Structure formats: C-alpha cells, structure tokens
Amino acid sequence: MTPMLSQPADAGPPGLPGKTAMRVDTALGAGAVLHAFDTDQPVLHARWLFRTDTAGAGSIAIAGGIDPAGLSGWQLWLDTDPRQVRLGMGGAQLVAELPDALAWHCVEVRLDAADHTAGLHLNGVERDAQATPLSPTRYVWLGAAFPADGFVGTIDFDRWALSTQPIGVPLAKPTADHAGDPRRWLAVYNRTDADSCAWADTYRHRRGLPYANLCGLDLPTSETIGAASFEAMRQQINAYLDDNRLRGQVVGVLLGLNVPGYADLAGQDTPTPIASYLHTDDPHGLPVVNPLYRGTITQRPTAPDFAGVRLTGRIDAASLADAVAMIDRADALTADPLAHDQGADLLIDLNPDNPDVGPVYTQPVADWANGIGSARLRLPKVVYDGAAPTAASNDAVLWGWRDAAPPADFFGPPAGRRAACLQFAPGAEPAVTARDPLAADWLSRALYAGYAYAAAPSRAYSLSALPLPHLFFEALRQGWTVAEAWLVAKPFLRDALQIVGDPLMPVPFPKSGYDVFGPAPRLDAIDFESPLAVLHAGERGLPLAPSDLPDEHSQARYLVRRFDEQGRPDHASASVLVSIAGGTPFRPAPPAWPTEEGWPALQRGGKSILSAHWPASLRSLGVGSVQLESQAGTEPPATANSTTPQAGQRAVSFSIDHPTQPTRYRITAVQGDAVINTPWSAVVAPAAAPGRALTVLEASS
C-alpha cells in the first residue's frame, strides 16, 4: 500500500494558525515530498508536529534521509502499538515513548555526521541519544513511503522545519503582555503518569495553551520529593525554557496533576511548597524580597516586569476527576460573577488564636476588613473579631488566620459558589497535601468542600510574609488572575505559603451597588475619590453615624451614585440634603411641582411637614390663596389650613399634628373664584415609628 499526501483544512494542530498542515492517508494513491540540499549536510536538525491518535495500528516510516551516494541514511518511524517514535540509522536506533492522552507530539531529530552522534527530542525534551556512524544528508523525504504491513489510519503533521541548529517546539506568540495570557504560562505534567498526561491535554484544551507550553517531565509520582529530586526538577524546567526559546515569553509555571508539590529540604520541620520555591531561579532556599510587592495596586505587571521572578500555580488532587473539577469551578466563576442574592458572602476571621500575634500584623487586616476596602468587593460580609466562626455554609470567600484546624462540620454544603478559602495561621495544622480528601488542614478541607482555590501554610512562618488582603482582593477586583494577585500581595518569596487552584482564573466580583459620598456643604464640594460608604446591591440604606452628620442647625449634601451590573455609574445619581433639628437628622422637603404625584410628607418634631414648590411666584400666577385639604377614610375633603402668598413667594409649607387615622392631604391653589386641584397628594400615618433612623438610600428613593 502506497500512501497519499494531502493538505485538508483540519489537519493542523489547534492554536497554530497557517496553511502548512498535511495529511498522510494510507488508503489512497502514491505521494511524497522530496527536499534536496545544495550541499551535503554534516549537521542536520529536522522537526515535525504529528497527530498520532488517528493512526489505528502498525508502524509507518514518516520521514527519512538519503546520503550523497543515494543510500538511505536514516528513517523516522511511528510505532502505534507500543506508542513510540523510533529513529533508525542502519543498525542503530533511538526510541522515545509517546505519553498517553496527548494527540499531537513534536519530534525533532539531530544528526551530526561530524562527531557521529544522533539525538531524538520529543515535545521539547531530549529522550534518547547515542554515538553512531553517520553519513551527511543530501536529501530528506517526507511522506509515508514505507508503511509496514498492517498499518491503518491517517497521520496529520505540520511545522516541518530543517536547520543546522536546534529548532525546538513551534512557538505561539503571546497575544497580551500580562500574565492573563495562557501563552505566557508553562504547564508541567508528569509524562510517567497517564492521568497527568490526560490532565495536561484537558488543561491545554480548556485554557488555550499551545503544545509548546506543555512541559512533560519524567518525575516521581509522590507528592513530596527530596532535595536532590527537587533540584533536578528545577533544572529540567529551566532547561526546557532555554532549549525551546520560551525564557522571555513564559512568566508563570503551573504544576499539574501528580507532579510533586512539596520538597523536603534540610532545615525545615515540614515540606515546603515547590511552587513557592519556583518563584525565582535562585537555587538557594532563603526568602527573598518580592520586587513586585507594592503598598498599593497600580498598573498590572507585564512581561518585562517579571525579570527574575515567576508566577506559580498548582492544580493537584486525589484523582483526575477532582483535578478537572477545579478547572470546572474556575470556568463557572469566570463566566458568572458572584452575587449577594446567590448566597455569596465574604467571611473574615480577624482573631488569631495565637496570643503572640501583635497588632502590627492584625491592625492592617482589621482596617481592611472593617473599612471601604472589603466593601469594594460588593458582597455581604461577616467579620469575626472574637469567637471563631462555627460554620461557613453560604460563603464565597473566606479570609482568616485561625491556628486550629477547621471543625469537622465547618464546611457544610454551599448555598452559593465557593471561590476562595485563604487561611494563614502560622501555627495551624501543616498543609502538606492536596491529594487527601480526609486531611485535617485548611487547604485540603477547603479544596474538597468545593472551593475553586485555597491557600494555607505548610509550616510555621513569619507574619511579615503575610499576603495583604487589600492588595490581593483589589487586584482581583480589577480583573487580574489569581496568580497575579497572589504574587503582588506577597512581601517575600520562597516561604511556606502556597495557593492551589487554577492560576489563570479571574474572580469577577459583583459590580452593581451604590457609592455614598459626603457630607459636603455643596454638591461641587463632594470628593468623588473618597466615598463615605460602598454598598452592595442588596443594601437599601445606610444609617448615618453622628460623625457623618452636619452640625446642629446646618445642612449637608450627600450624593448616592448607583452602579449597574457592568460597574458603570448610573447617570441619575441622587442628591440628598440632610439637616439636624433637636439632635435628630431629617430631610428638608425637595421641590414638588404641579405635575408630581406622591410628594413626600416629612416627620419633624412630632409633626408632619407638607411642602410644595412652584416654578414661579404664586402672585405672578394669579394665586390668591393656597389651601390644605384633608380627607380621612371615605369622608369628603375638608379645608385643614389656608395661607395667603406673599410677594415673590414660590413655596408653601404646612405643619400638622399627626392624624388619628391614615389621612390623605392635598394642596390646592385658589385663583379668584376658581379652585385649582393639583394632582399631588400624600397619605400621613397616625404616627411615625419611634426611634427609626434616617438612612441615605431611603432619602434618595
């Protein structure tokens, strides 16, 4: 059977645009491509991308070289049954095993006739090499010229390249400078583990990582490794970045399923998270100052800002299904913002059990928790500053530092989606696994309770390394990914702290709600950079504290600005005027024009105040008197009060005692013998509810 070479549109790998893909179909006629060099090539590198999951059975030679004498010098074979590629050179051969679950593979052969050595690279890593007699290459053929008996199926291939220098995996250039671009991440998987390979292909598909950004290494499957194994792993990651020209492009490293997550290093009581140590290339284990740490969140870091520093992440679990579930949770959170009416709360535990923790660490967190910072997340919040919380059934985000492990029934079934659980107690149960659903530490308990990501220390650490919540959550609020927010909030690198979950996940907090500004003597004096309060969409009022109110016998302006679901300020911001009389705040009557209905009746000093305004003076309108009519129940209207307008007067107010039953009041204007009934009226209840506080949002509604 002689195969046919074709070029269908669907033969190329995902994420690599172009029209260079080809397909070898063994069920059709003859076809091949032959490339001739101008001179003999003593050193040759040849690279292809192959799709192997469509090859059904048997072996097929998919490329080969011919020496100057016209003899076959080498052949590259695909063996589907043992799942390997094989470089044959006369009597010698090199072999590389194909990882399970990956559809496409990058194969590069190195043939050096000058020093008689050959190498076989698979997916960016050299898998086999040996010294062997070689002749220079004069021709290279591409096509299935030599299918073995019994071979069936098709093979797609792309990115064929020939060079005298190492070529490496085909790169997909980033589309953005910041680390939210998947092409700026390297996902490390364990090619000796089938589930890890399957996870890598799933993550690539779901997040859009190019194949070049999947780094398969032969690693132990144990979660904790020794110092020597960790150093070898670190060197392999760096070598992959250097050999495949990814050093300047990749700014983040993600450790995948069944990749070791902890290193048992000398001088540490418990294992240290490997992701923490991979923040830099420094082989030493000392903490270093984080150059990206700032007191406030400003500009999002871009690739040049990460010189010498890496983002890191980890997705690991007891099974492939649990690891994929983390990706599912990230997708769900990314697609739909958290919302207070879906059971999303912010739970903050301020009181560490450790009495040695001083206010120098607790006060900044308390200031954020009780101030505007946490309110900007626009979630209902519960702040514990005494007894420990006993349960977290409706939470979206939990931040705290309790030394004790969570109670057995702490994480009940969530009423809403769970985004993050971050517990930083320096003396808590060490978090040294992400694969054990029954582990007692905060990290494991949170991950298996359904959180999209969780953070906890693996051992005691200095609280000077505590990530600051105002930096972490402000970065998330601005749309950064979890990994970016985590890094810029850490004062130091290389510590016992870790975060597990999809590092490319943003957390879209709700944007709708209200900002309240004031008090100010005039609207033009309001500072729009410093709101008095930030409220979520479910908060319908803001009680005014004495410090928020104007002085006795003066007035102050408040402005309520509404934000919609996209975080855009509503153009119809409401202005509220508040006064003090007898130590009680009240709202002066706003204008009520003749076309308004339901004008307000205000309560002041045990009486109801009914006011109306006209666009011009009453005398200029020919009004001789203004009357207040009352109507109790079904009784006919009766005149309750009357006044004669003075020169220039445009407003009238009537003060009445509270009626004994609900009574409707209407203001009418009298012009000579004509009575003008206006459409505005108000119902006054028998008495105002005693002790009821005025709220700004009520005043604006």
Side-chain angles (χ1 to χ4, degrees):
M1 178 184 297
T2 305
M4 180 66 183
L5 188 67
S6 61
Q7 195 173 16
D10 61 347
L16 291 171
K19 298 181 179 179
T20 60
M22 292 169 281
R23 174 169 293 164
V24 177
D25 195 327
T26 59
L28 300 176
V33 174
L34 187 68
H35 177 80
F37 295 105
D38 293 335
T39 59
D40 300 338
Q41 301 296 310
V43 179
L44 176 67
H45 288 259
R47 184 207 68 194
W48 303 264
L49 254 66
F50 293 101
R51 181 175 183 176
T52 59
D53 62 339
T54 53
S59 301
I60 185 169
I62 48 183
I66 300 174
D67 66 15
L71 302 176
S72 176
W74 55 270
Q75 305 88 34
L76 181 65
W77 287 80
L78 168 65
D79 301 324
T80 63
D81 297 329
R83 286 193 57 78
Q84 58 185 213
V85 288
R86 175 167 43 93
L87 177 63
M89 303 158 291
Q93 66 178 11
L94 305 179
V95 176
E97 303 293 332
L98 296 174
D100 293 334
L102 294 182
W104 284 81
H105 297 279
C106 178
V107 179
E108 181 173 339
V109 299
R110 172 180 57 83
L111 302 127
D112 193 332
D115 62 3
H116 300 291
T117 61
L120 179 60
H121 285 69
L122 179 65
N123 297 328
V125 178
E126 186 173 74
R127 294 299 174 189
D128 201 358
Q130 64 175 269
T132 184
L134 289 171
S135 300
T137 300
R138 186 61 185 272
Y139 304 94
V140 174
W141 55 263
L142 177 65
F146 302 105
D149 292 339
F151 178 82
V152 294
T154 61
I155 304 172
D156 294 345
F157 57 96
D158 199 355
R159 308 291 160 162
W160 175 30
L162 301 175
S163 176
T164 59
Q165 301 292 328
I167 303 171
V169 291
L171 303 182
K173 295 299 182 183
T175 57
D177 286 337
H178 58 72
D181 184 352
R183 299 182 181 197
R184 293 202 176 277
W185 279 83
L186 185 76
V188 180
Y189 66 95
N190 193 341
R191 68 188 304 272
T192 66
D193 182 84
D195 284 348
S196 187
C197 296
W199 170 86
D201 198 55
T202 299
Y203 194 76
R204 179 208 60 76
H205 174 72
R206 298 278 285 273
R207 294 293 174 264
L209 269 71
Y211 273 91
N213 294 54
L214 298 181
C215 175
L217 303 178
D218 294 331
L219 299 169
T221 56
S222 58
E223 192 170 6
T224 301
I225 56 177
S229 295
F230 163 69
E231 180 59 23
M233 175 180 173
R234 187 188 68 83
Q235 292 180 6
Q236 289 181 76
I237 292 173
N238 287 332
Y240 186 92
L241 294 171
D242 292 332
D243 293 346
N244 295 285
R245 309 180 312 283
L246 284 165
R247 173 71 66 176
Q249 175 173 321
V250 165
V251 298
V253 174
L254 170 61
L255 305 180
L257 175 68
N258 291 337
V259 170
Y262 297 91
D264 193 358
L265 305 178
Q268 305 294 350
D269 295 334
T270 55
T272 300
I274 290 176
S276 177
Y277 272 81
L278 290 178
H279 276 310
T280 71
D281 286 336
D282 185 353
H284 304 291
L286 298 176
V288 294
V289 175
N290 180 7
L292 297 180
Y293 176 82
R294 299 289 187 271
T296 59
I297 293 297
T298 54
Q299 186 174 345
R300 189 175 192 174
T302 57
D305 300 320
F306 288 97
V309 180
R310 285 200 199 107
L311 299 160
T312 62
R314 184 185 179 204
I315 295 179
D316 210 345
S319 67
L320 174 60
D322 289 334
V324 173
M326 289 189 189
I327 306 174
D328 294 337
R329 296 171 201 165
D331 283 343
L333 282 166
T334 302
D336 188 19
L338 299 167
H340 75 282
D341 57 358
Q342 297 177 358
D345 296 331
L346 175 62
L347 179 61
I348 308 171
D349 180 15
L350 289 180
N351 187 28
D353 297 335
N354 189 340
D356 297 331
V357 177
V360 66
Y361 302 112
T362 59
Q363 196 58 49
V365 179
D367 291 343
W368 170 80
N370 295 309
I372 294 293
S374 58
R376 289 191 186 277
L377 303 182
R378 297 201 189 276
L379 289 177
K381 66 180 178 182
V382 180
V383 180
Y384 287 88
D385 199 5
T390 58
S393 59
N394 296 330
D395 56 308
V397 178
L398 188 155
W399 177 285
W401 46 13
R402 288 280 169 181
D403 277 344
D409 56 350
F410 184 86
F411 294 112
R417 290 167 299 156
R418 287 178 161 167
C421 178
L422 306 106
Q423 273 281 3
F424 298 112
E429 182 80 15
V432 292
T433 179
R435 301 179 186 175
D436 184 2
L438 302 178
D441 62 89
W442 282 97
L443 179 80
S444 298
R445 291 287 308 282
L447 290 174
Y448 288 95
Y451 284 89
Y453 63 92
S458 66
R459 54 177 167 79
Y461 70 100
S462 170
L463 275 175
S464 61
L466 177 73
L468 293 184
H470 76 275
L471 300 175
F472 181 76
F473 287 110
E474 179 60 22
L476 290 178
R477 197 178 71 87
Q478 293 188 20
W480 300 13
T481 63
V482 167
E484 291 172 299
W486 175 250
L487 181 59
V488 299
K490 288 166 57 74
F492 300 98
L493 307 174
R494 294 181 166 275
D495 50 31
L497 301 176
Q498 61 180 321
I499 194 164
V500 178
D502 190 349
L504 278 165
M505 174 179 61
V507 180
F509 288 100
K511 298 180 180 180
S512 61
Y514 306 89
D515 283 4
V516 180
F517 302 89
R522 304 175 313 279
L523 283 178
D524 59 3
I526 287 179
D527 180 7
F528 290 99
E529 299 298 325
S530 304
L532 172 67
V534 175
L535 311 178
H536 61 76
E539 293 180 280
R540 306 304 301 175
L542 174 67
L544 298 176
S547 59
D548 301 327
L549 297 171
D551 296 332
E552 188 81 10
H553 305 302
S554 65
Q555 296 180 337
R557 285 281 180 185
Y558 295 85
L559 188 134
V560 180
R561 176 175 289 174
R562 177 184 178 275
F563 291 81
D564 64 13
E565 290 75 8
Q566 285 75 43
R568 299 171 300 193
D570 195 316
H571 68 280
S573 299
S575 170
V576 182
L577 182 63
V578 174
S579 296
I580 294 290
T584 302
F586 69 94
R587 180 177 43 146
W593 304 105
T595 55
E596 281 194 32
E597 288 194 44
W599 99 98
L602 301 179
Q603 310 297 321
R604 185 190 309 166
K607 291 182 177 292
S608 294
I609 309 299
L610 307 177
S611 301
H613 294 238
W614 279 262
S617 69
L618 289 165
R619 285 190 176 182
S620 69
L621 297 174
V623 175
S625 66
V626 178
Q627 298 177 351
L628 177 68
E629 290 184 350
S630 64
Q631 184 177 18
T634 59
E635 297 177 2
T639 300
N641 206 337
S642 178
T643 184
T644 300
Q646 303 300 311
Q649 184 177 352
R650 299 197 304 176
V652 174
S653 294
F654 294 101
S655 176
I656 62 171
D657 294 327
H658 290 311
T660 58
Q661 60 179 310
T663 303
R664 179 175 294 279
Y665 291 88
R666 183 184 301 277
I667 293 179
T668 62
V670 179
Q671 293 175 319
D673 294 333
V675 175
I676 304 173
N677 287 313
T678 60
W680 11 291
S681 63
V683 175
V684 179
R692 187 172 181 274
L694 178 72
T695 63
V696 168
L697 284 187
E698 286 180 317
S700 67
S701 60

